[in-house]
Amino acid sequence: MSAAAENSVSTRVDWTRVRRDFPILDRQVHGKPLVYLDSANTSQKPRRVIDAVDAFYREHNANVARAVHQLGEEATGLYEGARDKLAAFLGANHRDEIVLTSGTTMATNLVAYSYLLPRLKSGDAVLVTTMEHHANIVPWQLVCKLTGARLKVAPITESGELIVDKFIEALTPDVKLAGVVHVSNVLGTINPVQALARECRKRGIPLLVDGSQAAPHLPLDVKAIGCDFYCVTGHKMCGPTGTGALWARRELLESMPPFFGGGEMIRTVSFDGSTFADPPRRFEAGTPNTAGFAGLGAAIDYLRGIGMDNIAARERELLDYAVPRMRAVPGLRIIGTAPDKAAVISFLIDGVHSHDLATLLDQEGVAVRSGHHCAHPLMQFYGVPATCRASLAFWNTEAEIDAFVAAIARVRKLLE
Ligand code: PLP
């Protein structure tokens, strides 16, 4: 074996064993083996995560930060443990920079209402890009509407790459925040967030990075990126739904007033007024999804156990395997062909509606997503109502990609 082959990701990690960690992958759908190609929508969960949630309710269930009894301490330990693990996973300076949220949507809304709204006035702007998910568009629109500010949009190329010069040009003094997706959930494009952060910093404009699709697939270091806010969602990174986090620079969190009020986020309360806890607790009112965070902690351990470099390399292998085989299907067009791309493949077939295609693929046991992917403006840019999207994860196999491509070819013939 050559040195390069010996060092390849396929030999470093036993991917067949990794795949066995996911019980759901053994099931059949419509009498066919499940081929799950919808990880960008939500990832499947390894046994370790399922067991952690199960163990939480069987052995540790109690409310967090409210009880001195043993179970309360254990539950609090699991919840706060997830914060520690997220801090390490994201390369944060300190655990207090991590606000635990229900996901990215909650994180962007928190920044919109707590950070941006008090700073925004008529005539100001928020800069986003054409390829944003609605979670990185609508919260800004809501606060713009309240203040008379406006949204500015940095354009992309036909291949789905951000036009960086235009983004930089748009960083004018009226821009009070820029929001950019790290990895597009439709195109797979990996944006040069480090370079964008540098430009934003030069101009004193805070940058929020939507890391929903990056955190499950790439090694991350928010300090190296140099952004101001970074959002992740647990259910796409092998963790339970209803979990996620906002990472923010500590001084920014300290400058932000509470967004939700209620229990656990206060220092004192009287009918004359309340004072608030320090961040991050200031932003974590009410009873959280403790079992979910116990699971997210296990998910982070699991991903780090495999190694994010290995995951990124394996998914690149799978992408490079899938793309030429998909292109060989007559009439198939891939939307999003940036060279720096994650394993997310949006596609269309001439004359076939993407919903019909996805429905027929489902009959073959293949799960892909069809729709606008919560990216209406991007669909408008490409002039299509919807796309089909196959999104791969490290547990997928070349054989599954073959089965998927064969199923597309069969469905295409059927619909001809
Ligand atoms: N941003 C991107 C790029 C996404 O793909 C998604 C989920 O599809 C979100 C934001 C929303 O995340 P959440 O499910 O945590 O609200």
Side-chain angles (χ1 to χ4, degrees):
M1 204 189 288
S2 73
E6 261 177 41
N7 208 19
S8 89
V9 68
S10 303
T11 47
R12 279 202 308 269
V13 180
D14 182 349
W15 296 107
T16 311
R17 243 185 65 198
V18 166
R19 184 179 167 84
R20 286 204 289 270
D21 293 336
F22 293 80
I24 204 169
L25 299 179
D26 288 337
R27 70 160 285 182
Q28 302 226 321
V29 170
H30 306 302
K32 310 265 170 56
L34 168 67
V35 176
Y36 188 77
L37 303 181
D38 200 17
S39 294
N41 206 353
T42 197
S43 68
Q44 292 302 350
K45 318 302 174 204
R47 196 170 284 105
R48 188 165 169 175
V49 170
I50 300 167
D51 288 350
V53 175
D54 182 80
F56 178 82
Y57 285 121
R58 282 180 195 280
E59 296 168 33
H60 312 291
N61 181 47
N63 213 329
V64 292
R66 289 177 195 187
V68 290
H69 56 67
Q70 180 62 27
L71 294 188
E73 273 185 28
E74 287 170 15
T76 304
L78 288 162
Y79 180 71
E80 292 299 332
R83 195 188 314 277
D84 289 325
K85 288 172 188 184
L86 277 159
F89 185 78
L90 295 173
N93 266 324
H94 197 277
R95 66 189 311 278
D96 287 349
E97 295 172 346
I98 304 288
V99 181
L100 300 179
T101 68
S102 62
T104 290
T105 303
M106 167 74 185
T108 51
N109 277 277
L110 172 58
V111 175
Y113 284 93
S114 177
Y115 174 80
L116 193 58
L117 183 58
R119 291 167 170 80
L120 210 58
K121 58 179 188 328
S122 178
D124 286 343
V126 180
L127 176 64
V128 295
T129 80
T130 308
M131 68 174 93
E132 299 309 316
H133 185 283
H134 296 164
N136 198 19
I137 300 174
V138 182
W140 318 127
Q141 282 177 328
L142 292 173
V143 293
C144 282
K145 194 149 188 215
L146 291 172
T147 53
R150 72 196 169 100
L151 206 62
K152 281 169 80 172
V153 184
I156 63 170
T157 63
E158 194 60 31
S159 64
E161 285 169 89
L162 179 65
I163 305 176
V164 172
D165 289 350
K166 295 276 185 202
F167 180 90
I168 295 172
E169 234 173 68
L171 289 172
T172 46
D174 55 334
V175 174
K176 294 296 175 280
L177 181 118
V180 173
V181 74
H182 193 167
V183 173
S184 160
N185 63 313
V186 179
L187 308 165
T189 307
I190 303 175
N191 279 315
V193 286
Q194 198 166 354
L196 303 180
R198 202 179 315 118
E199 295 301 327
C200 287
R201 213 168 40 248
K202 272 190 215 161
R203 293 160 179 81
I205 298 172
L207 176 69
L208 175 142
V209 178
D210 172 355
S212 308
Q213 299 290 347
H217 307 292
L218 303 176
L220 290 178
D221 182 341
V222 288
K223 287 199 296 292
I225 293 173
C227 58
D228 299 279
F229 299 102
Y230 197 94
C231 313
V232 299
T233 193
H235 72 100
K236 297 188 201 284
M237 40 196 292
C238 293
T241 51
T243 62
L246 169 71
W247 167 83
R249 289 186 191 284
R250 210 167 171 180
E251 63 274 19
L252 293 181
L253 285 181
E254 277 164 4
S255 76
M256 288 160 55
F259 170 36
F260 283 125
E264 290 309 314
M265 47 75 73
I266 48 85
R267 204 186 295 276
T268 61
V269 178
S270 78
F271 287 119
D272 296 328
S274 303
T275 58
F276 304 111
D278 288 334
R281 286 218 353 254
R282 184 187 299 170
F283 306 108
E284 295 176 9
T287 301
N289 178 5
T290 318
F293 282 104
L296 183 57
I300 291 172
D301 288 344
Y302 179 76
L303 292 173
R304 295 187 92 191
I306 299 173
M308 294 311 295
D309 283 319
N310 290 330
I311 286 174
R314 175 61 182 148
E315 290 176 353
R316 183 74 220 187
E317 266 180 5
L318 290 168
L319 177 70
D320 290 344
Y321 185 87
V323 166
R325 286 162 179 81
M326 289 175 70
R327 280 197 203 287
V329 176
L332 188 146
R333 172 160 75 106
I334 292 178
I335 296 199
T337 52
D340 207 6
K341 181 176 155 90
V344 173
I345 316 168
S346 274
F347 63 100
L348 292 168
I349 295 191
D350 286 346
V352 180
H353 195 288
S354 65
H355 284 8
D356 293 341
L357 186 55
T359 306
L360 288 166
L361 286 174
D362 178 57
Q363 294 300 311
E364 302 266 348
V366 179
V368 295
R369 181 165 175 193
S370 159
H372 53 68
H373 314 292
C374 298
H376 273 161
L378 188 58
M379 297 295 116
Q380 285 151 19
F381 173 79
Y382 284 106
V384 296
T387 69
C388 260
R389 181 188 67 188
S391 47
L392 309 172
F394 53 89
W395 62 76
N396 287 126
T397 63
E398 281 82 359
E400 285 184 304
I401 293 168
D402 291 340
F404 160 58
V405 173
I408 304 180
R410 274 198 301 279
V411 166
R412 197 191 137 266
K413 279 230 163 82
L414 206 73
L415 292 171
E416 251 176 10

